[in-house]
Amino acid sequence: MDIYKDFTFKDNDIPKYIQVANYIKSLIDKRKIKEGDKLPTIRELSKKLGVNNVTIVSAYNKLKSEGYAYQKVGSGSYAKRKEVASNFRKEYSNALKKISMGDLTDVIDFTGETTGEVLFPIDDLKGIINEVLERDGANALLSDNRNGYTNLIYTINKVFWNNKLNDEDIIIISGAQQGIDIASKGILNINDNIIVEKPTYVGALSVFKWRKVNLFEVPIDEDGINLNKFEKILQKNEIKCFYTMSYFQNPTGVSYSIEKKKRILDLAEIYDFYIIEDDYLSELIYENSLEYVPFKWLDKNDRVIYIKSFSKIFLPGIRLGYLVAPEVFSETLQNSKHNTDITTSSLMQRALELYISSNKWKKNIKNLNDEYIKRYTHLKTILDSEFKDMLTYNDPKGGLNFYITLKDEFKINTKELFIKLRKKNVYITPGAMFFTSQNDGQDSFRIAFYQTDKEKIEKGMKILKEELILAKELRYDKLN
């Protein structure tokens, strides 16, 4: 039976490739096309539907970006049921919610998603808030500027940017996730094309998919995305923006070289796209070989939407950060922020301003670095000594996590590994969480040390090693 014979183009306002992609998605959802079924060749389907090859190529790319299809090199495109991906994400999310609501004493959280441990000096916070209330009284609860607390904007510009920015382009936000959402709502329309790193931050993927844009993924090398593949996409597609985490990319831990940043900025001008730079952990540089030079510092043509979060250096539960908008999008992004939540907590903005202007943040950053360097070094030593035959990883030289890839002999689907470890109160983040297609990242996972002290690192890594050895033995038994 020809399942494509009933297809017709119904709406002239919707591009043909989208109508084709939506029709195939409906066939997959209804199980008329089953998981793993090979889709028709581009030439075959274009002939069936009476369209050109480019339409089918675009339709298949959209299916892949939305998790409904995957490519086998030299073989073609195959169907993928999206619910397989969403079900595991739901299971992962529910598992973390459950442990977050309970006693975390015996939990080893290598996901970094819980907040069982807070290294911020709480007495400092109490003192800062009391000082703000004594100084400002009831005004501490009022907002004087829809972009944020005016003095905080001045202080950010002075302390972090040497007054090189226009204060009007700085918008106070409730954390990096809101910043991505504001940027997305402000500059992206349905079916716009954007490029993301492969793999990338799951929160950003959720935002972009919600906006119903077309995602193009570019693999990450040791110093940033693969520029050859990046430019090929730019040459063939009209790209609206590129989302990047310039330091300690989540999940890989990769930081961009200055040379690569400069080239990407040049390409942004040549191909007329914008860069959303998510700078969430650049304070946590542990080795002198890494120099702090964000895309925004090098941005001569106002192509970068810069997003900065203070959550990891202030308090995780207090979502604060800021966004720097290119002048062309300044008003649009201000409106996007205002339409999202009107304003961010005035009291906490004033507390953050005092925390920064009094230089207390410098002492806290030093203390955080001292503690996290110990954890980073300890975990790296264990990986190098106990796991060298089992896995590989990129040394991040900073940040809060390692991204692990299992060697062939010890390979286990890391979603299954997550479930096995969860039974022993150890939690990791499977690599599949960071890809648009759940066929990717099955042999990788992220280990964060944000919520694990030395004792928990040792205990958790011991349990992980036991599970990997057991997986190897089970695999050997099946082969024999």
Side-chain angles (χ1 to χ4, degrees), residues 222-255:
E222 291 183 358
D223 63 344
I225 54 164
N226 183 299
L227 284 180
N228 289 333
K229 294 181 179 179
F230 186 67
E231 191 159 7
K232 283 180 181 177
I233 292 174
L234 294 173
Q235 290 167 351
K236 296 178 181 179
N237 303 274
E238 186 177 334
I239 298 298
K240 191 67 170 288
C241 77
F242 165 50
Y243 169 74
T244 180
M245 308 182 86
S246 50
Y247 282 88
F248 314 122
Q249 193 264 359
N250 187 4
T252 64
V254 165
S255 296

Side-chain angles (χ1 to χ4, degrees), residues 339-357:
N339 291 336
T340 299
D341 68 356
I342 302 179
T343 186
T344 298
S345 168
S346 177
L347 176 60
M348 296 317 302
Q349 286 188 65
R350 291 165 190 257
L352 177 60
E353 189 281 326
L354 185 57
Y355 175 59
I356 295 171
S357 62

Side-chain angles (χ1 to χ4, degrees), residues 6 19 53 84 93 109 114 141 197 202 209 218 229 237 272 312 340 343 367 370 386 388 395 408 463 470:
D6 295 328
Q19 294 186 60
N53 288 353
V84 174
S93 178
D109 176 22
T114 62
L141 306 177
E197 297 153 338
V202 65
K209 287 179 180 179
V218 178
K229 294 181 179 179
N237 303 274
D272 191 21
K312 293 292 190 294
T340 299
T343 186
N367 291 338
D370 290 345
E386 301 291 326
K388 61 182 179 180
D395 183 0
D408 288 343
I463 294 171
L470 182 60

